[in-house]
Amino acid sequence: MIVTINGEDRDIADGSTVAALIDDLLGSSRGSAAVVDGDVVPRSEWDSLVLRAGQEIELIVAVQGG
């Protein structure tokens, strides 16, 4: 199914959850946040929120620097 991730259309597996998407794309959930269709998704819901075709997803990763 096609979703938009950080402004780019991507094909992901049907039934993918936010947690699975973050693991696949980022490799780690540490310092990560997810926004689906404009709503911040609490980390406690990542395993249960199944994504649907056409959704807009923003994955945000905190970086440290100086």
Side-chain angles (χ1 to χ4, degrees):
M1 75 178 157
I2 303 295
V3 296
T4 302
I5 301 171
N6 295 350
E8 181 180 321
D9 288 345
R10 302 200 58 173
D11 190 11
I12 63 172
D14 289 343
S16 291
T17 63
V18 171
L21 184 66
I22 287 174
D23 285 343
D24 288 345
L25 296 179
L26 305 178
S28 171
S29 63
R30 186 174 180 148
S32 300
V35 178
V36 177
D37 291 334
D39 295 319
V40 174
V41 180
R43 189 177 294 263
S44 62
E45 296 177 16
W46 287 5
D47 286 323
S48 61
L49 182 62
V50 177
L51 299 168
R52 297 182 320 271
Q55 287 187 302
E56 293 190 22
I57 302 150
E58 293 291 326
L59 299 180
I60 303 161
V61 180
V63 294
Q64 184 176 348

Short mmCIF file of all heavy atoms in Angstrom, two decimals:
data_model
loop_
_atom_site.label_atom_id
_atom_site.label_comp_id
_atom_site.label_asym_id
_atom_site.label_seq_id
_atom_site.Cartn_x
_atom_site.Cartn_y
_atom_site.Cartn_z
N MET A 1 0.84 -1.17 0.00
CA MET A 1 0.00 0.00 0.00
C MET A 1 0.89 1.24 0.00
O MET A 1 2.01 1.19 0.47
CB MET A 1 -0.95 -0.03 1.19
CG MET A 1 -0.32 0.30 2.52
SD MET A 1 -1.54 0.29 3.83
CE MET A 1 -0.45 0.00 5.19
N ILE A 2 0.36 2.32 -0.52
CA ILE A 2 1.13 3.56 -0.63
C ILE A 2 0.74 4.52 0.48
O ILE A 2 -0.45 4.79 0.70
CB ILE A 2 0.90 4.24 -2.00
CG1 ILE A 2 1.25 3.29 -3.15
CG2 ILE A 2 1.69 5.55 -2.10
CD1 ILE A 2 2.70 2.91 -3.23
N VAL A 3 1.73 5.02 1.20
CA VAL A 3 1.57 6.08 2.20
C VAL A 3 2.61 7.14 1.89
O VAL A 3 3.56 6.91 1.15
CB VAL A 3 1.73 5.55 3.65
CG1 VAL A 3 0.67 4.54 4.01
CG2 VAL A 3 3.12 4.97 3.87
N THR A 4 2.44 8.32 2.48
CA THR A 4 3.41 9.38 2.32
C THR A 4 4.20 9.49 3.62
O THR A 4 3.62 9.68 4.69
CB THR A 4 2.73 10.72 2.00
OG1 THR A 4 1.94 10.54 0.81
CG2 THR A 4 3.75 11.81 1.77
N ILE A 5 5.52 9.32 3.51
CA ILE A 5 6.39 9.39 4.68
C ILE A 5 7.36 10.54 4.48
O ILE A 5 8.14 10.55 3.52
CB ILE A 5 7.16 8.08 4.89
CG1 ILE A 5 6.19 6.91 5.06
CG2 ILE A 5 8.10 8.19 6.10
CD1 ILE A 5 6.84 5.55 5.06
N ASN A 6 7.26 11.53 5.36
CA ASN A 6 8.10 12.73 5.29
C ASN A 6 8.09 13.33 3.88
O ASN A 6 9.12 13.69 3.33
CB ASN A 6 9.53 12.43 5.75
CG ASN A 6 9.60 12.05 7.21
OD1 ASN A 6 8.64 12.18 7.94
ND2 ASN A 6 10.74 11.58 7.65
N GLY A 7 6.88 13.40 3.30
CA GLY A 7 6.69 14.05 2.01
C GLY A 7 6.98 13.19 0.80
O GLY A 7 6.85 13.64 -0.34
N GLU A 8 7.33 11.93 1.00
CA GLU A 8 7.67 11.03 -0.11
C GLU A 8 6.74 9.83 -0.12
O GLU A 8 6.58 9.16 0.91
CB GLU A 8 9.12 10.56 0.07
CG GLU A 8 9.62 9.65 -1.01
CD GLU A 8 11.07 9.23 -0.77
OE1 GLU A 8 11.87 10.06 -0.33
OE2 GLU A 8 11.38 8.05 -1.02
N ASP A 9 6.13 9.53 -1.27
CA ASP A 9 5.28 8.34 -1.38
C ASP A 9 6.14 7.09 -1.29
O ASP A 9 7.18 6.99 -1.95
CB ASP A 9 4.52 8.35 -2.70
CG ASP A 9 3.42 9.38 -2.75
OD1 ASP A 9 3.04 9.91 -1.68
OD2 ASP A 9 2.93 9.67 -3.86
N ARG A 10 5.67 6.16 -0.43
CA ARG A 10 6.41 4.90 -0.25
C ARG A 10 5.43 3.75 -0.19
O ARG A 10 4.31 3.89 0.30
CB ARG A 10 7.22 4.94 1.04
CG ARG A 10 8.18 6.12 0.99
CD ARG A 10 9.31 6.08 1.85
NE ARG A 10 10.20 4.96 1.72
CZ ARG A 10 11.34 4.92 2.37
NH1 ARG A 10 11.69 5.90 3.15
NH2 ARG A 10 12.14 3.89 2.24
N ASP A 11 5.89 2.62 -0.67
CA ASP A 11 5.09 1.40 -0.63
C ASP A 11 5.50 0.61 0.60
O ASP A 11 6.68 0.27 0.75
CB ASP A 11 5.34 0.59 -1.90
CG ASP A 11 4.39 -0.56 -2.07
OD1 ASP A 11 3.38 -0.63 -1.33
OD2 ASP A 11 4.64 -1.41 -2.95
N ILE A 12 4.53 0.37 1.49
CA ILE A 12 4.81 -0.41 2.69
C ILE A 12 3.86 -1.61 2.73
O ILE A 12 2.85 -1.63 2.03
CB ILE A 12 4.68 0.42 3.99
CG1 ILE A 12 3.24 0.92 4.19
CG2 ILE A 12 5.66 1.59 3.97
CD1 ILE A 12 3.01 1.58 5.54
N ALA A 13 4.18 -2.58 3.54
CA ALA A 13 3.37 -3.79 3.63
C ALA A 13 2.01 -3.50 4.26
O ALA A 13 1.91 -2.70 5.19
CB ALA A 13 4.10 -4.85 4.45
N ASP A 14 0.98 -4.16 3.74
CA ASP A 14 -0.34 -4.06 4.36
C ASP A 14 -0.24 -4.52 5.81
O ASP A 14 0.48 -5.47 6.13
CB ASP A 14 -1.35 -4.96 3.62
CG ASP A 14 -1.70 -4.42 2.25
OD1 ASP A 14 -1.44 -3.23 1.98
OD2 ASP A 14 -2.24 -5.20 1.44
N GLY A 15 -0.95 -3.83 6.69
CA GLY A 15 -0.96 -4.21 8.10
C GLY A 15 0.20 -3.67 8.90
O GLY A 15 0.35 -4.02 10.07
N SER A 16 1.04 -2.83 8.29
CA SER A 16 2.19 -2.27 9.01
C SER A 16 1.70 -1.37 10.14
O SER A 16 0.75 -0.62 10.00
CB SER A 16 3.06 -1.44 8.08
OG SER A 16 3.73 -2.25 7.15
N THR A 17 2.41 -1.46 11.26
CA THR A 17 2.13 -0.58 12.39
C THR A 17 3.16 0.54 12.41
O THR A 17 4.20 0.46 11.72
CB THR A 17 2.21 -1.34 13.72
OG1 THR A 17 3.55 -1.83 13.88
CG2 THR A 17 1.21 -2.49 13.78
N VAL A 18 2.90 1.55 13.21
CA VAL A 18 3.87 2.63 13.37
C VAL A 18 5.19 2.06 13.90
O VAL A 18 6.27 2.40 13.41
CB VAL A 18 3.33 3.73 14.31
CG1 VAL A 18 4.40 4.74 14.65
CG2 VAL A 18 2.13 4.41 13.68
N ALA A 19 5.12 1.15 14.86
CA ALA A 19 6.34 0.55 15.43
C ALA A 19 7.15 -0.18 14.37
O ALA A 19 8.38 -0.03 14.29
CB ALA A 19 5.98 -0.41 16.57
N ALA A 20 6.48 -0.96 13.52
CA ALA A 20 7.18 -1.70 12.47
C ALA A 20 7.81 -0.74 11.47
O ALA A 20 8.94 -0.95 11.02
CB ALA A 20 6.22 -2.65 11.77
N LEU A 21 7.10 0.32 11.13
CA LEU A 21 7.62 1.30 10.17
C LEU A 21 8.88 1.97 10.72
O LEU A 21 9.88 2.10 10.02
CB LEU A 21 6.54 2.34 9.88
CG LEU A 21 6.89 3.38 8.83
CD1 LEU A 21 7.05 2.73 7.46
CD2 LEU A 21 5.82 4.45 8.78
N ILE A 22 8.84 2.37 11.97
CA ILE A 22 10.00 3.01 12.58
C ILE A 22 11.18 2.04 12.64
O ILE A 22 12.31 2.42 12.31
CB ILE A 22 9.65 3.57 13.97
CG1 ILE A 22 8.77 4.82 13.79
CG2 ILE A 22 10.90 3.90 14.78
CD1 ILE A 22 8.21 5.40 15.05
N ASP A 23 10.93 0.79 13.01
CA ASP A 23 12.01 -0.20 13.04
C ASP A 23 12.61 -0.41 11.66
O ASP A 23 13.82 -0.47 11.50
CB ASP A 23 11.51 -1.54 13.59
CG ASP A 23 11.32 -1.52 15.09
OD1 ASP A 23 11.86 -0.62 15.76
OD2 ASP A 23 10.61 -2.41 15.60
N ASP A 24 11.75 -0.49 10.64
CA ASP A 24 12.22 -0.73 9.27
C ASP A 24 13.02 0.46 8.72
O ASP A 24 14.05 0.27 8.08
CB ASP A 24 11.06 -1.01 8.32
CG ASP A 24 10.43 -2.38 8.54
OD1 ASP A 24 11.06 -3.22 9.23
OD2 ASP A 24 9.32 -2.59 8.04
N LEU A 25 12.53 1.67 8.95
CA LEU A 25 13.14 2.84 8.34
C LEU A 25 14.26 3.47 9.18
O LEU A 25 15.21 3.99 8.63
CB LEU A 25 12.09 3.90 8.04
CG LEU A 25 11.03 3.49 7.02
CD1 LEU A 25 10.03 4.61 6.82
CD2 LEU A 25 11.68 3.13 5.69
N LEU A 26 14.11 3.42 10.49
CA LEU A 26 15.07 4.11 11.35
C LEU A 26 15.99 3.15 12.09
O LEU A 26 17.05 3.56 12.56
CB LEU A 26 14.34 5.01 12.36
CG LEU A 26 13.37 6.04 11.76
CD1 LEU A 26 12.70 6.82 12.88
CD2 LEU A 26 14.09 6.96 10.79
N GLY A 27 15.58 1.91 12.24
CA GLY A 27 16.41 0.92 12.93
C GLY A 27 16.32 0.99 14.44
O GLY A 27 16.68 0.06 15.13
N SER A 28 15.83 2.10 14.95
CA SER A 28 15.70 2.27 16.40
C SER A 28 14.61 3.29 16.67
O SER A 28 14.43 4.25 15.92
CB SER A 28 17.02 2.76 16.99
OG SER A 28 16.85 3.13 18.35
N SER A 29 13.91 3.09 17.77
CA SER A 29 12.87 4.06 18.13
C SER A 29 13.40 5.12 19.10
O SER A 29 12.69 6.07 19.42
CB SER A 29 11.68 3.33 18.76
OG SER A 29 12.07 2.69 19.96
N ARG A 30 14.63 4.99 19.50
CA ARG A 30 15.19 5.94 20.46
C ARG A 30 15.23 7.35 19.86
O ARG A 30 15.75 7.57 18.77
CB ARG A 30 16.60 5.49 20.84
CG ARG A 30 17.17 6.34 21.94
CD ARG A 30 18.48 5.82 22.41
NE ARG A 30 18.93 6.72 23.45
CZ ARG A 30 19.64 6.36 24.47
NH1 ARG A 30 20.02 5.10 24.59
NH2 ARG A 30 20.00 7.22 25.38
N GLY A 31 14.67 8.29 20.57
CA GLY A 31 14.66 9.68 20.13
C GLY A 31 13.73 9.95 18.97
O GLY A 31 13.85 10.96 18.30
N SER A 32 12.77 9.04 18.74
CA SER A 32 11.87 9.17 17.59
C SER A 32 10.48 9.62 18.02
O SER A 32 10.05 9.37 19.14
CB SER A 32 11.73 7.82 16.87
OG SER A 32 12.97 7.38 16.41
N ALA A 33 9.79 10.25 17.10
CA ALA A 33 8.38 10.61 17.27
C ALA A 33 7.67 10.35 15.96
O ALA A 33 8.29 10.37 14.89
CB ALA A 33 8.25 12.08 17.67
N ALA A 34 6.37 10.10 16.05
CA ALA A 34 5.58 9.83 14.85
C ALA A 34 4.33 10.70 14.85
O ALA A 34 3.67 10.85 15.88
CB ALA A 34 5.20 8.35 14.79
N VAL A 35 4.02 11.24 13.66
CA VAL A 35 2.82 12.02 13.45
C VAL A 35 2.09 11.38 12.27
O VAL A 35 2.67 11.19 11.21
CB VAL A 35 3.16 13.50 13.13
CG1 VAL A 35 1.91 14.29 12.86
CG2 VAL A 35 3.98 14.11 14.24
N VAL A 36 0.82 11.03 12.48
CA VAL A 36 0.03 10.41 11.43
C VAL A 36 -1.18 11.30 11.16
O VAL A 36 -1.96 11.58 12.08
CB VAL A 36 -0.42 8.98 11.82
CG1 VAL A 36 -1.32 8.38 10.74
CG2 VAL A 36 0.79 8.08 12.05
N ASP A 37 -1.28 11.74 9.92
CA ASP A 37 -2.37 12.64 9.51
C ASP A 37 -2.51 13.84 10.45
O ASP A 37 -3.61 14.24 10.82
CB ASP A 37 -3.70 11.88 9.40
CG ASP A 37 -3.70 10.90 8.23
OD1 ASP A 37 -2.95 11.13 7.25
OD2 ASP A 37 -4.43 9.90 8.29
N GLY A 38 -1.38 14.39 10.87
CA GLY A 38 -1.37 15.60 11.68
C GLY A 38 -1.50 15.40 13.17
O GLY A 38 -1.45 16.37 13.93
N ASP A 39 -1.66 14.16 13.61
CA ASP A 39 -1.79 13.88 15.04
C ASP A 39 -0.56 13.13 15.56
O ASP A 39 -0.17 12.11 14.99
CB ASP A 39 -3.03 13.02 15.32
CG ASP A 39 -4.32 13.74 15.00
OD1 ASP A 39 -4.43 14.95 15.32
OD2 ASP A 39 -5.23 13.11 14.44
N VAL A 40 0.01 13.64 16.66
CA VAL A 40 1.13 12.95 17.29
C VAL A 40 0.61 11.62 17.84
O VAL A 40 -0.43 11.57 18.49
CB VAL A 40 1.73 13.79 18.43
CG1 VAL A 40 2.80 13.02 19.18
CG2 VAL A 40 2.30 15.10 17.88
N VAL A 41 1.35 10.55 17.55
CA VAL A 41 0.96 9.22 18.03
C VAL A 41 1.80 8.91 19.27
O VAL A 41 3.03 8.83 19.19
CB VAL A 41 1.21 8.15 16.94
CG1 VAL A 41 0.80 6.78 17.46
CG2 VAL A 41 0.47 8.49 15.66
N PRO A 42 1.14 8.74 20.41
CA PRO A 42 1.89 8.39 21.63
C PRO A 42 2.64 7.06 21.44
O PRO A 42 2.12 6.14 20.80
CB PRO A 42 0.81 8.24 22.70
CG PRO A 42 -0.37 8.98 22.17
CD PRO A 42 -0.28 8.86 20.67
N ARG A 43 3.82 6.99 21.99
CA ARG A 43 4.64 5.77 21.87
C ARG A 43 3.86 4.54 22.34
O ARG A 43 4.03 3.45 21.80
CB ARG A 43 5.92 5.95 22.68
CG ARG A 43 6.92 4.86 22.47
CD ARG A 43 8.20 5.14 23.25
NE ARG A 43 8.88 6.30 22.75
CZ ARG A 43 9.89 6.28 21.88
NH1 ARG A 43 10.32 5.12 21.42
NH2 ARG A 43 10.46 7.38 21.48
N SER A 44 2.99 4.69 23.32
CA SER A 44 2.21 3.56 23.84
C SER A 44 1.26 2.98 22.80
O SER A 44 0.76 1.86 22.96
CB SER A 44 1.43 3.99 25.08
OG SER A 44 0.51 5.02 24.75
N GLU A 45 1.00 3.71 21.72
CA GLU A 45 0.08 3.25 20.67
C GLU A 45 0.79 2.76 19.41
O GLU A 45 0.14 2.31 18.47
CB GLU A 45 -0.89 4.38 20.30
CG GLU A 45 -1.80 4.78 21.43
CD GLU A 45 -2.71 5.93 21.08
OE1 GLU A 45 -2.87 6.25 19.88
OE2 GLU A 45 -3.27 6.53 22.02
N TRP A 46 2.11 2.86 19.36
CA TRP A 46 2.84 2.49 18.14
C TRP A 46 2.62 1.04 17.72
O TRP A 46 2.52 0.75 16.53
CB TRP A 46 4.34 2.72 18.32
CG TRP A 46 4.74 4.16 18.31
CD1 TRP A 46 3.93 5.26 18.27
CD2 TRP A 46 6.07 4.66 18.35
NE1 TRP A 46 4.68 6.41 18.28
CE2 TRP A 46 6.00 6.07 18.34
CE3 TRP A 46 7.32 4.06 18.41
CZ2 TRP A 46 7.12 6.88 18.36
CZ3 TRP A 46 8.44 4.86 18.44
CH2 TRP A 46 8.34 6.25 18.41
N ASP A 47 2.57 0.12 18.69
CA ASP A 47 2.40 -1.30 18.34
C ASP A 47 1.00 -1.63 17.85
O ASP A 47 0.80 -2.60 17.13
CB ASP A 47 2.73 -2.20 19.54
CG ASP A 47 4.22 -2.27 19.81
OD1 ASP A 47 5.00 -2.28 18.84
OD2 ASP A 47 4.60 -2.32 20.99
N SER A 48 0.02 -0.83 18.25
CA SER A 48 -1.37 -1.16 17.92
C SER A 48 -1.94 -0.33 16.77
O SER A 48 -2.98 -0.70 16.21
CB SER A 48 -2.26 -0.99 19.16
OG SER A 48 -2.23 0.35 19.61
N LEU A 49 -1.29 0.76 16.40
CA LEU A 49 -1.83 1.61 15.33
C LEU A 49 -1.42 1.07 13.96
O LEU A 49 -0.27 1.17 13.55
CB LEU A 49 -1.35 3.06 15.47
CG LEU A 49 -1.90 4.02 14.42
CD1 LEU A 49 -3.42 4.11 14.52
CD2 LEU A 49 -1.29 5.39 14.57
N VAL A 50 -2.40 0.47 13.28
CA VAL A 50 -2.17 -0.10 11.94
C VAL A 50 -2.38 1.01 10.92
O VAL A 50 -3.40 1.70 10.94
CB VAL A 50 -3.12 -1.28 11.68
CG1 VAL A 50 -2.94 -1.82 10.26
CG2 VAL A 50 -2.89 -2.38 12.71
N LEU A 51 -1.41 1.19 10.05
CA LEU A 51 -1.47 2.25 9.05
C LEU A 51 -2.37 1.84 7.88
O LEU A 51 -2.52 0.65 7.58
CB LEU A 51 -0.06 2.56 8.56
CG LEU A 51 0.87 3.06 9.67
CD1 LEU A 51 2.31 3.07 9.18
CD2 LEU A 51 0.45 4.44 10.14
N ARG A 52 -2.95 2.86 7.23
CA ARG A 52 -3.83 2.64 6.08
C ARG A 52 -3.29 3.36 4.86
O ARG A 52 -2.60 4.38 4.98
CB ARG A 52 -5.24 3.17 6.39
CG ARG A 52 -5.93 2.47 7.54
CD ARG A 52 -7.34 3.02 7.77
NE ARG A 52 -7.48 4.46 7.65
CZ ARG A 52 -7.31 5.34 8.63
NH1 ARG A 52 -6.97 4.93 9.83
NH2 ARG A 52 -7.48 6.64 8.42
N ALA A 53 -3.63 2.85 3.70
CA ALA A 53 -3.22 3.47 2.44
C ALA A 53 -3.66 4.93 2.41
O ALA A 53 -4.75 5.27 2.86
CB ALA A 53 -3.81 2.72 1.26
N GLY A 54 -2.78 5.79 1.89
CA GLY A 54 -3.09 7.19 1.73
C GLY A 54 -2.77 8.07 2.92
O GLY A 54 -2.87 9.29 2.83
N GLN A 55 -2.37 7.48 4.03
CA GLN A 55 -2.07 8.30 5.21
C GLN A 55 -0.77 9.07 5.01
O GLN A 55 0.13 8.64 4.28
CB GLN A 55 -1.98 7.44 6.46
CG GLN A 55 -3.35 6.97 6.92
CD GLN A 55 -3.30 6.26 8.25
OE1 GLN A 55 -2.59 5.27 8.41
NE2 GLN A 55 -4.07 6.77 9.20
N GLU A 56 -0.69 10.22 5.69
CA GLU A 56 0.52 11.04 5.68
C GLU A 56 1.22 10.87 7.03
O GLU A 56 0.61 11.13 8.07
CB GLU A 56 0.19 12.49 5.42
CG GLU A 56 -0.34 12.69 4.01
CD GLU A 56 -0.46 14.16 3.64
OE1 GLU A 56 0.21 15.00 4.26
OE2 GLU A 56 -1.23 14.43 2.71
N ILE A 57 2.47 10.45 6.98
CA ILE A 57 3.22 10.12 8.17
C ILE A 57 4.48 10.97 8.20
O ILE A 57 5.18 11.09 7.20
CB ILE A 57 3.60 8.62 8.17
CG1 ILE A 57 2.32 7.77 8.07
CG2 ILE A 57 4.43 8.25 9.38
CD1 ILE A 57 2.51 6.47 7.37
N GLU A 58 4.74 11.54 9.35
CA GLU A 58 6.00 12.26 9.57
C GLU A 58 6.75 11.52 10.66
O GLU A 58 6.21 11.28 11.74
CB GLU A 58 5.74 13.71 10.01
CG GLU A 58 5.11 14.58 8.97
CD GLU A 58 6.02 14.89 7.79
OE1 GLU A 58 7.26 15.01 7.98
OE2 GLU A 58 5.50 15.00 6.67
N LEU A 59 7.97 11.12 10.37
CA LEU A 59 8.84 10.50 11.36
C LEU A 59 9.91 11.53 11.72
O LEU A 59 10.57 12.08 10.84
CB LEU A 59 9.48 9.23 10.80
CG LEU A 59 8.50 8.13 10.39
CD1 LEU A 59 9.26 6.93 9.85
CD2 LEU A 59 7.60 7.73 11.54
N ILE A 60 10.04 11.76 13.00
CA ILE A 60 10.95 12.78 13.49
C ILE A 60 11.98 12.10 14.38
O ILE A 60 11.64 11.30 15.24
CB ILE A 60 10.18 13.85 14.28
CG1 ILE A 60 9.09 14.46 13.39
CG2 ILE A 60 11.11 14.90 14.86
CD1 ILE A 60 8.01 15.17 14.13
N VAL A 61 13.24 12.45 14.16
CA VAL A 61 14.33 11.89 14.96
C VAL A 61 15.11 13.03 15.58
O VAL A 61 15.58 13.93 14.87
CB VAL A 61 15.27 11.01 14.10
CG1 VAL A 61 16.40 10.45 14.94
CG2 VAL A 61 14.49 9.90 13.42
N ALA A 62 15.24 12.99 16.89
CA ALA A 62 16.03 14.00 17.58
C ALA A 62 17.51 13.69 17.36
O ALA A 62 17.93 12.54 17.37
CB ALA A 62 15.71 13.97 19.07
N VAL A 63 18.28 14.74 17.10
CA VAL A 63 19.72 14.59 16.95
C VAL A 63 20.42 15.49 17.94
O VAL A 63 19.91 16.53 18.34
CB VAL A 63 20.18 14.93 15.51
CG1 VAL A 63 19.64 13.93 14.52
CG2 VAL A 63 19.78 16.32 15.11
N GLN A 64 21.58 15.04 18.33
CA GLN A 64 22.36 15.80 19.30
C GLN A 64 23.56 16.40 18.57
O GLN A 64 24.15 15.79 17.70
CB GLN A 64 22.83 14.87 20.41
CG GLN A 64 23.57 15.58 21.51
CD GLN A 64 23.92 14.61 22.63
OE1 GLN A 64 23.43 13.49 22.69
NE2 GLN A 64 24.77 15.05 23.53
N GLY A 65 23.87 17.60 18.91
CA GLY A 65 25.02 18.23 18.27
C GLY A 65 25.38 19.50 19.01
O GLY A 65 24.74 19.89 19.96
N GLY A 66 26.39 20.12 18.50
CA GLY A 66 26.77 21.32 19.22
C GLY A 66 27.56 22.25 18.42
O GLY A 66 27.84 22.33 17.32
#
